[in-house]
């Protein structure tokens, strides 16, 4: 599969980006992955995305001196080397990955069109959050995309600490500005860390937004819970 690697500095971290051509993907490309046998049932699109994401992850791990290729966990989550955490996201024909020494979540989303925003608003935010987004200096379509993406990054960063049926209503937008969106965790997210406010960094990149969330070290005392809202593999 044809790919191109680049890096992006964001919020003190290096994001490793892989632009890929899914039309150039071949099944034998997966043999590079130690866990390729676990992918045989996937569709062509998903396989190409997975491969691009793992290539990005390998580049990110090299920053920490690791030559590992993240495997696949029981909940389809990437398995990172001991002492490291990471996150992978896919959007269209780009995959990106970040690695850190504390739990981290990253997400990349295409900015919603007005039609998409109208269709998705009620499933992402409540009326109170809507007012916060509308009172910001950002176009509502951008602000809503950020709310969606920030919640995705949040769930990835706190993966293993959130409740089984966590949804978008388990974290509420409390503030948004030109570089940060703040989310308040509710008991639906995790009773042990309810009311904690988490700041998620964001920036635009072309016609997309990128969000990045770090789980506070003290949050690790909560112990393991069930999987996050969506596949943490992005």
């Amino acid at each position: 599969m044809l790919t191109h690697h680049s890096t992006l500095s964001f919020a003190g971290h290096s994001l490793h980006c892989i632009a890929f051509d899914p039309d150039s993907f071949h099944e034998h490309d997966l043999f590079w992955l130690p866990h390729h046998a676990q992918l045989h049932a996937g569709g062509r699109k998903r396989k190409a995305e997975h491969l691009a994401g793992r290539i990005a992850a390998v580049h990110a791990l090299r920053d920490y001196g690791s030559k590992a290729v993240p495997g696949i966990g029981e909940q389809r989550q990437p398995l990172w080397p001991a002492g490291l955490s990471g996150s992978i996201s896919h959007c269209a024909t780009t995959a990106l990955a970040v690695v850190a020494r504390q739990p981290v979540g990253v997400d990349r989303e295409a900015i919603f069109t007005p039609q998409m925003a109208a269709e998705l608003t009620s499933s992402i935010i409540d009326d109170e959050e809507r007012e916060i987004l509308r009172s910001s200096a950002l176009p509502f379509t951008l602000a809503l995309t950020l709310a969606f993406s920030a919640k995705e990054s949040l769930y990835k960063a706190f993966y293993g600490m959130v409740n089984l049926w966590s949804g978008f209503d388990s974290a509420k937008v409390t503030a948004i500005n030109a570089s940060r969106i703040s989310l308040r965790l509710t008991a639906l997210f995790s009773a042990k860390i309810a009311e904690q406010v988490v700041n998620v960094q964001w920036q635009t990149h072309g016609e997309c937004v990128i969000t990045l969330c770090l789980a506070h070290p003290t949050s690790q005392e909560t112990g393991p819970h069930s999987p996050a809202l969506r596949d943490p593999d992005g």
Side-chain angles (χ1 to χ4, degrees), residues 121-132:
T121 296
S122 61
S123 64
I124 300 171
I125 56 173
D126 61 19
D127 290 343
E128 184 177 350
E129 292 175 288
R130 187 197 305 251
E131 289 306 309
I132 291 172

Side-chain angles (χ1 to χ4, degrees), residues 29-191:
D29 294 331
L30 296 177
F31 292 160
W32 174 76
L33 299 171
H35 55 271
H36 62 84
Q38 294 176 258
L39 304 171
H40 72 277
R44 178 184 173 87
K45 177 178 181 293
R46 178 58 177 163
K47 289 176 179 177
E49 291 175 343
H50 181 93
L51 177 61
R54 286 311 193 270
I55 294 172
V58 166
H59 282 288
L61 284 167
R62 286 176 181 170
D63 289 346
Y64 290 83
S66 173
K67 297 180 180 179
V69 179
I72 305 175
E74 293 182 0
Q75 303 296 334
R76 308 299 298 173
Q77 79 277 20
L79 298 176
W80 303 96
L84 295 175
S85 179
S87 183
I88 300 170
S89 183
H90 316 97
C91 181
T93 57
T94 298
L96 58 84
V98 64
V99 169
R101 295 197 183 277
Q102 69 186 90
V104 62
V106 70
D107 187 66
R108 185 177 189 267
E109 300 286 344
I111 298 172
F112 295 158
T113 64
Q115 180 179 348
M116 289 178 63
E119 294 173 353
L120 296 175
T121 296
S122 61
S123 64
I124 300 171
I125 56 173
D126 61 19
D127 290 343
E128 184 177 350
E129 292 175 288
R130 187 197 305 251
E131 289 306 309
I132 291 172
L133 298 187
R134 288 202 178 280
S135 64
S136 75
L138 305 176
F140 183 73
T141 51
L142 172 58
L144 183 66
T145 310
L146 287 170
F148 177 91
S149 183
K151 292 183 182 187
E152 288 289 317
S153 288
L154 176 78
Y155 297 132
K156 292 179 182 181
F158 283 81
Y159 178 76
M161 293 176 278
V162 301
N163 292 318
L164 177 60
W165 301 116
S166 292
F168 287 109
D169 58 348
S170 65
K172 305 290 188 180
V173 177
T174 60
I176 184 170
N177 62 27
S179 62
R180 186 179 67 223
I181 181 168
S182 300
L183 301 171
R184 175 178 55 83
L185 311 183
T186 74
L188 292 173
F189 189 88
S190 172

Side-chain angles (χ1 to χ4, degrees), residues 187-206:
L188 292 173
F189 189 88
S190 172
K192 294 184 178 180
I193 50 177
E195 302 306 315
Q196 179 175 326
V197 175
V198 179
N199 293 320
V200 180
Q201 304 299 317
W202 72 270
Q203 70 175 39
T204 56
H205 191 246

